[in-house]
Amino acid sequence: PLWLEAPCVVRCGAALPDMDASSGPSGPEYETEEQLLLRFKSNAETGLTSAAAEQKLKEDGPNALEKPPRPTLLALFVAQLLGFIIILLICAAVASVVVNATGNKKDDVLSYTTGIAIFVIVLLNAGIAAWTENQAGGALEALAKMSQPCITVVRDGKDQSVDTETVVAGDIVLIGTGDVVPADLRLIEAFDVKVAEMCLTGEPDDVSKNAKLKAKPHPGAEEKLTPENMCFSSCSCTNGKGKGIVVATGMRTRIGEIAQHLTGGKTAAKKQCFCLPDTSTSQTPLQENVEKLGKRIGVGAIAVCIIVFVIGVAINTRDPDNQDSPSWLYMILIAVTLAVAAIPEGIPLCVTISLSIGSSSMVKENVLVRKLAAVETLGSASVICSDKTGTLTEGKMTMVHLWSAFVKYDVAGKGFDPTVGKVTRTSGGADATNDVGVKSTLLAGMLCSNTTLSQVKDPDTGEMKWEPKGNSSEAPIVVAARKVDWQTDQVTKDYKRVIEVPFSSSRKMMLTAMDVSGRDELYPGGLKLPSGTNFVAVCKGAPNYIIETCETIIDESGNTKKLEASEKAEIMKTIDDYSSQALRVLAIAIHPVESFPFDPADEDVNMETKFQHCRKELTLVGLVASIDPERDGVKESVMTANGASIRVVMITGDYLKTAVAIAKNINILGKSDGEEAACDCASLRPGGEYLAEPEIDALTQQTRCFARAKPEDKMMIVDSFQRQGFVCAMTGDGVNDAPALNKADIGVAMGIQGTEVAKGASKMILTDDNFCSIVHAVERGRVIYAGIQKFVAFIMSVHIAEVLQIFVCVVANIPVMRTPLQILFLILVTDLPPSIALGMEPGDKSVLKARPRPKSEPIMLGWMWMSSIVNGAILTLVIIIVYLICLVHFCDGKIFQDDILALDGFEEKLANARTVAFISLVLSENIRAYISRSFDKHCWVNFLGNKDMQKAILAAQFALLVATLLPFFSDKILGLRGIGIGIWGWAVSVVGPVGTLILCELYKIVTQYQVHQYQEMLAREAELKDEEFKEETRKYLAGKKASGDGIKAHDVQITIHEGKQNGISKSDSHGGRAKSGRTSWTKSLCCPFVGSTRMA
């Protein structure tokens, strides 16, 4: 059965009784105290016995969150060795070692350098990746730290302090102000209890709790995020005291349900072979694309090796250094050479280095990357699902308007810093710091508050910051009061409180009374008090409850006058105006008292008597209106995201009306959208069950504001976007956001206000909690990915050239122009620095004007493959020409292997020719690096724009000089003779880069045409996809309607028409706006929770 308004079943103690679906929702909030005590075999006065508690602890386990075993660094390291490319390289290294170990040079240590070099590359790459992966994680550890170590329970008839892990179902728990709730409790006693549920629901306001039996909701009734008679594990009690019976512990609690989402449900962790961790389900698009590319290249490399091996054996190609060895043995070495040339072993390492450098640069954009491969994912994001509180908004209730004596005031500033902003008149903007109405309203508000404001030292930065302590709804009052020079400590000292009636859900207000003996004004020069006044009662709360009791009102001079009915109507109109702006309005009124008919200090006088005597003949002092304001720059960032064809979707626990108002303030919704582009999340689950996937997809395709969201709703929304092919980013800061952060393609947590749980579940953290940083991260992510595409295309052209050159040599019976070790040196020493520099290429200014790339788009597109193949062929052509020239020059006019082997001293002659070809290839590839800076722009455009490229080329040239001129290393290990080729050899080597530059730049004319055609194709595919989605939904709904299943239950109607605006399609249910371009949807959804609400 469903309970706690989440799909979590109570399994502690005894199971909840099964109920027929027609009987409505079930759960402990709907059970009486007697039923709960009977079910858990407990007693409200004496609690459980110690023996019973011990037995339950054995049966149910400790009250703690289960933590899946975290893979060790060694396990992660071994797992990295299972990649397809890595396995091929290991096979090549083993083959090289085995062949050399069985040859005539088995005692020569230098003959094993190729195999050893490949092993070093493999281990280095696996080590870097494993270390990076090992740094991530910790979400469940953070969840476990959120509870306090001890709590007071009633056992054996006595109050006992026990460890929270030993709390069991049926325990009677006592909670008070400051306590962290140890488990899910059903309250049986509550005295003005308030609980902070922001970590669970994402909403900043403290929630009032009571012990009343919750009535089962009727169809159409408003649904609350949490029941009023339940307190949930890990939430803190901010006010009052209460007693509750534990109904769920550990993983059975609401917080445990979230933990299950983080671990992928209740199933055991997935494993690869040999019990190694399987991270495939959490791969980002880049990881998937790199793996697909590696498999494709690996299969091609195997095919090429087999073909060359067969051809070489068929024409009896033999080893020049050992002509007596069989041909097949030599061809195995050639196959290893081809494998090294074909397999892009530099790509995984180069991607890792590029992403690592990219993540370091993103720190400057206030983005901390927890997973390297996630750097590019924000760049491909097509939807950003953002939590409201603390992400799009400050997460700090702030007073923005004040009303007193029929005068409206504006309160400037954000957050809790009282030194920022001041109070001014709305009309004219005059300073109102000393207006009687302003000072009287804020003073009275402070007198009826228990919240204090002080400066504390930030433990992270060491800086002093302003921080309120107490109820979050009172914080705006004390902050604004400080702006007009009301000091909390001084006010408390000057006005002695004699009565306090805390806020309750029934009274809808708080009341206090102060001793003002000897005063004829509330403060010097302020509100006038009647003669003989000794006490002043102050009421603060819901405007309609207070105004109905008000008989008088203050004027601008501080005097009081009768409050007419017409004036009350005008005031209510002002309140409605503030409420329509998503402002939270409180009314403040006073009642001057000469004396009480009781002793205020007499504890025998009940609270209700005090309340009724003080709350009469009230004088309305003013209204205060507060809001959780949007962050600076959020509006502009949302518009920038829209310009980048990225839809920003707000998901909040606020009511629909409030959510729509805030969404309009920050440009998520247009002014003309209204509620047509927003929905209450109850419409996702009418009757308690979620709609079918096609119906949810049709709803989420255009909705940009989701209200009254639960953690499960966020998961469903993210799932829906991912089903539609979007790359979904999710931002958040609370525990309630953690499952969606974990599920999304890229989870982005807040660094300052974010919980450790959210950070642990995320892949990126915004260190400044600023939504604007996401847009900068998107731009940087796109730039990084574009750089990766450039260096992958560059590396592939190099590998294609290596394979073609060796293939031509084998087939034409020309001596193979280089050894496997020379190829490794070329790829990893002279080619790697330029490749990394390409990954750091500065972005194009128009990068945020492009469409997000499709999620399924591979790293190498078709036209990129064509470019790499053609450029590889160009490299092959020019280098083969240079090689043939050198063979003719150094080998006495001979070019075929058999003829050259018959020459005296052929080893040195062949080495000279190979050296010139090697140098020419290095120079040509360096030129290719400059050419590869852009696919369609010529290399001389902003030629020196990438400073890192200049450094990389200098490093490559230094490596070339070392490889060709350093004694022993050049001739004994690499087999190169830089000095022996003379000036002629160095001069001829320049032919290669000159030819490469001319031919590759000419081919860019073709590439420019291909890029243009590809962009047009993307636009056509997007239109086709929309049409297919429309047709599928039409067929689905027609089928549902024909069968009578679902349509009547949910009353779903879908209307389809054309529409697009500013790259983000919008619907218009009235057809009043002109529409063109992509297909869009308008969905009219009627459900028992939200009445009739139009949804886009």
Side-chain angles (χ1 to χ4, degrees):
L2 294 175
W3 74 289
L4 301 188
E5 302 177 25
C8 178
V9 179
V10 180
R11 292 182 297 276
C12 52
L16 283 174
D18 292 332
M19 299 183 68
D20 187 82
S22 61
S23 63
S26 62
E29 66 266 36
Y30 302 113
E31 295 185 69
T32 64
E33 178 182 335
E34 292 74 17
Q35 289 174 321
L36 287 169
L37 293 172
L38 179 63
R39 179 154 67 88
F40 290 109
K41 301 177 182 179
S42 186
N43 185 286
E45 301 300 325
T46 60
L48 294 172
T49 64
S50 297
E54 186 176 350
Q55 181 62 30
K56 283 179 176 287
L57 187 62
K58 291 180 180 178
E59 294 174 357
D60 299 334
N63 177 33
L65 300 177
E66 297 174 1
K67 291 177 278 188
R70 189 173 179 179
T72 63
L73 181 61
L74 178 61
L76 290 172
F77 175 79
V78 176
Q80 301 299 324
L81 300 178
L82 300 179
F84 192 75
I85 290 180
I86 301 300
I87 290 176
L88 288 179
L89 286 174
I90 292 174
C91 291
V94 170
S96 176
V97 172
V98 170
V99 170
N100 283 289
T102 57
N104 61 345
K105 294 185 178 180
K106 61 182 179 181
D107 296 328
D108 186 2
V109 177
L110 294 179
S111 66
Y112 299 101
T113 52
T114 299
I116 294 173
I118 297 175
F119 275 123
V120 169
I121 293 167
V122 167
L123 296 178
L124 179 63
N125 183 73
I128 293 175
W131 176 259
T132 302
E133 192 75 16
N134 191 54
Q135 303 306 305
L140 291 174
E141 287 83 350
L143 272 169
K145 292 177 182 177
M146 290 188 64
S147 60
Q148 59 191 20
C150 294
I151 193 68
T152 302
V153 301
V154 179
R155 285 184 185 171
D156 300 320
K158 298 180 294 184
D159 294 354
Q160 301 180 25
S161 179
V162 300
D163 188 89
T164 55
E165 289 196 357
T166 64
V167 171
V168 297
D171 259 329
I172 304 300
V173 174
L174 306 179
I175 58 172
T177 303
D179 287 336
V180 176
V181 180
D184 287 354
L185 307 179
R186 162 68 157 82
L187 291 174
I188 56 178
E189 293 180 10
F191 302 95
D192 299 309
V193 174
K194 288 187 178 182
V195 177
E197 294 183 339
M198 182 175 176
C199 70
L200 194 63
T201 66
E203 297 311 304
D205 298 324
D206 299 336
V207 181
S208 296
K209 298 292 182 179
N210 58 56
K212 296 178 182 178
L213 180 64
K214 181 176 173 64
K216 294 186 178 181
H218 300 289
E222 188 72 48
E223 202 177 8
K224 293 193 174 182
L225 290 177
T226 57
E228 300 93 329
N229 57 6
M230 295 288 298
C231 291
F232 296 103
S233 175
S234 298
C235 297
S236 58
C237 179
T238 60
N239 189 69
K241 59 182 180 179
K243 178 191 289 188
I245 180 171
V246 176
V247 296
T249 59
M251 295 298 287
R252 303 169 183 87
T253 62
R254 175 74 71 89
I255 209 81
E257 181 71 14
I258 294 176
Q260 290 178 14
H261 284 302
L262 289 178
T263 57
K266 303 166 191 174
T267 56
K270 293 176 66 178
K271 302 287 183 180
Q272 282 184 344
C273 59
F274 308 110
C275 299
L276 294 175
D278 179 17
T279 58
S280 60
T281 56
S282 60
Q283 283 187 324
T284 66
L286 177 65
Q287 289 173 309
E288 294 174 355
N289 286 333
V290 168
E291 186 172 336
K292 289 178 182 177
L293 177 64
K295 290 179 179 179
R296 188 179 301 176
I297 294 171
V299 171
I302 293 174
V304 170
C305 290
I306 293 175
I307 292 172
V308 172
F309 178 82
V310 171
I311 294 175
V313 172
I315 63 176
N316 197 30
T317 303
R318 294 182 178 275
D319 185 358
D321 298 326
N322 184 14
Q323 300 183 43
D324 295 331
S325 65
S327 175
W328 65 268
L329 196 60
Y330 175 61
M331 289 312 302
I332 290 179
L333 286 176
I334 295 298
V336 170
T337 303
L338 271 175
V340 173
I343 298 172
E345 59 278 314
I347 287 182
L349 183 60
C350 207
V351 167
T352 301
I353 293 173
S354 179
L355 292 176
S356 179
I357 294 173
S359 65
S360 299
S361 68
M362 292 180 82
V363 173
K364 300 176 182 178
E365 306 290 348
N366 298 309
V367 176
L368 179 62
V369 179
R370 297 184 66 250
K371 275 181 170 277
L372 283 184
V375 172
E376 56 80 35
T377 314
L378 262 182
S380 66
S382 48
V383 175
I384 299 176
C385 296
S386 178
D387 182 50
K388 175 188 71 71
T389 306
T391 307
L392 294 167
T393 63
E394 295 279 353
K396 302 172 182 177
M397 292 300 294
T398 304
M399 188 183 299
V400 292
H401 294 296
L402 185 148
W403 179 97
S404 182
F406 297 97
V407 179
K408 291 183 178 180
Y409 299 90
D410 295 331
V411 183
K414 287 185 179 181
F416 301 135
D417 189 347
T419 63
V420 178
K422 62 181 180 178
V423 182
T424 58
R425 290 192 172 226
T426 301
S427 178
D431 189 355
T433 302
N434 295 314
D435 281 20
V436 172
V438 172
K439 299 207 70 167
S440 298
T441 300
L442 294 176
L443 174 59
M446 284 188 71
L447 294 175
C448 196
S449 300
N450 291 319
T451 299
T452 59
L453 182 68
S454 59
Q455 282 188 299
V456 297
K457 188 175 183 179
D458 190 314
D460 296 325
T461 63
E463 299 177 354
M464 300 299 293
K465 65 176 183 178
W466 290 92
E467 188 175 280
K469 185 177 182 181
N471 194 303
S472 61
S473 63
E474 295 175 348
I477 295 175
V478 297
V479 172
R482 187 91 178 200
K483 293 180 180 181
V484 296
D485 298 328
W486 290 124
Q487 309 287 334
T488 308
D489 296 339
Q490 191 62 41
V491 168
T492 303
K493 180 180 178 181
D494 293 344
Y495 297 86
K496 181 183 178 182
R497 183 176 297 182
V498 295
I499 294 176
E500 178 180 342
V501 180
F503 175 90
S504 72
S505 57
S506 59
R507 290 188 287 265
K508 301 293 185 183
M509 66 184 73
M510 177 181 178
L511 183 146
T512 58
M514 272 62 59
D515 186 345
V516 292
S517 302
R519 297 174 184 264
D520 56 4
E521 297 174 319
L522 187 60
Y523 70 93
L527 190 154
K528 309 297 189 297
L529 299 176
S531 177
T533 299
N534 293 310
F535 303 96
V536 168
V538 182
C539 291
K540 168 177 63 70
N544 53 330
Y545 280 75
I546 288 180
I547 291 175
E548 68 180 8
T549 317
C550 290
E551 297 182 358
T552 57
I553 186 172
I554 69 168
D555 60 20
E556 292 190 63
S557 62
N559 296 311
T560 59
K561 65 174 186 174
K562 184 178 179 181
L563 182 60
E564 303 292 344
S566 60
E567 293 176 323
K568 283 189 177 182
E570 183 182 344
I571 295 171
M572 293 305 298
K573 186 178 179 181
T574 300
I575 293 170
D576 290 341
D577 179 51
Y578 284 149
S579 298
S580 67
Q581 302 173 46
L583 300 177
R584 180 163 297 143
V585 185
L586 294 175
I588 299 172
I590 67 168
H591 172 48
V593 180
E594 184 174 343
S595 63
F596 295 111
F598 51 81
D599 182 0
D602 187 354
E603 295 183 358
D604 293 332
V605 179
N606 64 51
M607 202 169 289
E608 190 62 28
T609 299
K610 297 178 181 179
F611 177 73
Q612 292 299 335
H613 187 83
C614 295
R615 181 191 171 248
K616 61 183 180 180
E617 301 174 358
L618 295 179
T619 298
L620 182 63
V621 181
L623 307 170
V624 293
S626 304
I627 194 173
D628 182 8
E630 71 271 9
R631 289 183 173 274
D632 293 333
V634 164
K635 292 181 181 180
E636 294 76 12
S637 294
V638 171
M639 292 182 68
T640 302
N642 289 340
S645 299
I646 300 171
R647 192 199 316 175
V648 180
V649 177
M650 185 176 80
I651 306 177
T652 177
D654 274 332
Y655 289 101
L656 184 60
K657 185 176 181 180
T658 304
V660 168
I662 293 174
K664 286 185 176 182
N665 287 344
I666 57 179
N667 293 328
I668 288 180
L669 294 179
K671 293 182 179 180
S672 59
D673 281 335
E675 295 181 3
E676 65 186 20
C679 78
D680 190 308
C681 282
S683 60
L684 295 172
R685 39 182 163 76
E689 295 184 3
Y690 283 102
L691 298 171
E693 289 182 355
E695 295 176 62
I696 293 179
D697 292 347
L699 179 63
T700 58
Q701 192 195 33
Q702 292 284 323
T703 303
R704 299 188 298 283
C705 178
F706 292 91
R708 304 304 290 164
K710 298 178 182 179
E712 296 80 17
D713 298 332
K714 297 182 180 183
M715 294 280 287
M716 295 297 292
I717 293 167
V718 170
D719 269 336
S720 176
F721 282 129
Q722 291 176 331
R723 280 195 303 271
Q724 297 173 54
F726 293 105
V727 175
C728 185
M730 172 70 191
T731 71
D733 56 1
V735 174
N736 65 312
D737 298 321
L741 289 172
N742 192 56
K743 174 66 178 174
D745 294 292
I746 178 71
V748 185
M750 303 298 109
I752 300 175
Q753 296 189 36
T755 61
E756 291 302 314
V757 183
K759 295 175 186 177
S762 69
K763 297 178 181 69
M764 285 185 179
I765 298 172
L766 301 183
T767 57
D768 61 350
D769 281 17
N770 197 335
F771 178 85
C772 305
S773 298
I774 298 176
V775 178
H776 298 310
V778 167
E779 181 179 14
R780 191 62 195 158
R782 290 189 178 188
V783 169
I784 291 171
Y785 192 83
I788 290 175
Q789 285 185 311
K790 291 172 185 175
F791 78 63
V792 169
F794 168 72
I795 289 176
M796 290 312 305
S797 69
V798 170
H799 282 273
I800 290 171
E802 294 285 357
V803 171
L804 288 176
Q805 290 165 28
I806 294 172
F807 181 80
V808 169
C809 289
V810 172
V811 172
N813 198 26
I814 299 172
V816 177
M817 68 173 66
R818 63 187 62 91
T819 65
L821 194 58
Q822 290 174 356
I823 294 174
L824 281 176
F825 187 87
L826 274 170
I827 293 172
L828 297 178
V829 179
T830 62
D831 293 342
L832 186 61
S835 299
I836 296 174
L838 283 172
M840 300 169 67
E841 187 71 23
D844 193 293
K845 293 181 180 179
S846 61
V847 69
L848 280 181
K849 295 180 181 179
R851 303 164 68 104
R853 67 182 182 279
K855 185 176 181 178
S856 58
E857 181 181 276
I859 296 179
M860 289 285 287
L861 303 173
W863 58 268
M864 292 181 186
W865 276 110
M866 181 67 70
S867 175
S868 293
I869 292 172
V870 172
N871 283 292
I874 290 172
L875 268 176
T876 300
L877 176 64
V878 297
I879 299 304
I880 287 290
I881 291 174
V882 170
Y883 185 47
L884 291 176
I885 293 173
C886 293
L887 285 177
V888 171
H889 178 76
F890 289 111
C891 298
D892 303 332
K894 310 295 183 182
I895 60 172
F896 295 108
Q897 179 167 304
D898 293 339
D899 297 332
I900 293 174
L901 295 180
L903 298 174
D904 293 333
F906 73 89
E907 293 90 350
E908 291 186 2
K909 295 177 180 180
L910 185 58
N912 288 336
R914 285 176 171 175
T915 301
V916 176
F918 182 90
I919 296 171
S920 185
L921 182 61
V922 171
L923 296 177
S924 298
E925 289 177 354
N926 287 169
I927 289 295
R928 272 280 302 135
Y930 277 103
I931 297 171
S932 298
R933 290 184 58 218
S934 174
F935 287 109
D936 55 352
K937 294 179 181 178
H938 295 292
C939 65
W940 51 81
V941 176
N942 194 23
F943 183 73
L944 300 177
N946 186 353
K947 296 180 180 178
D948 294 303
M949 182 61 74
Q950 277 67 264
K951 299 175 184 176
I953 296 302
L954 287 176
Q957 292 304 306
F958 176 77
L960 173 63
L961 295 176
V962 170
T964 55
L965 300 176
L966 185 65
F968 184 77
F969 178 73
S970 62
D971 53 353
K972 299 297 182 182
I973 296 179
L974 292 180
L976 298 174
R977 294 169 49 83
I979 298 176
I981 62 175
I983 297 177
W984 183 92
W986 284 93
V988 170
S989 66
V990 178
V991 173
V994 173
T996 299
L997 175 63
I998 296 172
L999 295 177
C1000 288
E1001 285 298 323
L1002 285 174
Y1003 181 73
K1004 276 191 177 180
I1005 298 174
V1006 177
T1007 306
Q1008 290 171 351
Y1009 173 77
Q1010 291 176 323
V1011 171
H1012 177 72
Q1013 291 294 104
Y1014 178 73
Q1015 293 298 325
E1016 289 188 347
M1017 184 192 72
L1018 283 182
R1020 290 194 300 269
E1021 287 182 350
E1023 293 178 2
L1024 180 61
K1025 184 177 179 181
D1026 281 345
E1027 289 294 333
E1028 291 175 350
F1029 182 85
K1030 175 178 65 176
E1031 187 61 28
E1032 288 174 4
T1033 306
R1034 212 187 255 126
K1035 289 180 180 179
Y1036 171 81
L1037 293 175
K1040 295 277 282 185
K1041 186 175 182 180
S1043 64
D1045 178 24
I1047 296 297
K1048 292 181 180 178
H1050 309 317
D1051 195 14
V1052 177
Q1053 301 173 1
I1054 293 185
T1055 305
I1056 303 170
H1057 55 88
E1058 303 297 316
K1060 183 180 180 183
Q1061 184 172 343
N1062 296 330
I1064 304 296
S1065 56
K1066 298 182 180 180
S1067 62
D1068 182 1
S1069 58
H1070 305 291
R1073 286 175 285 173
K1075 298 290 181 180
S1076 63
R1078 293 177 57 192
T1079 302
S1080 65
W1081 299 74
T1082 296
K1083 180 170 183 176
S1084 178
L1085 186 69
C1086 304
C1087 74
F1089 298 102
V1090 293
S1092 180
T1093 306
R1094 292 206 61 84
M1095 320 263 185

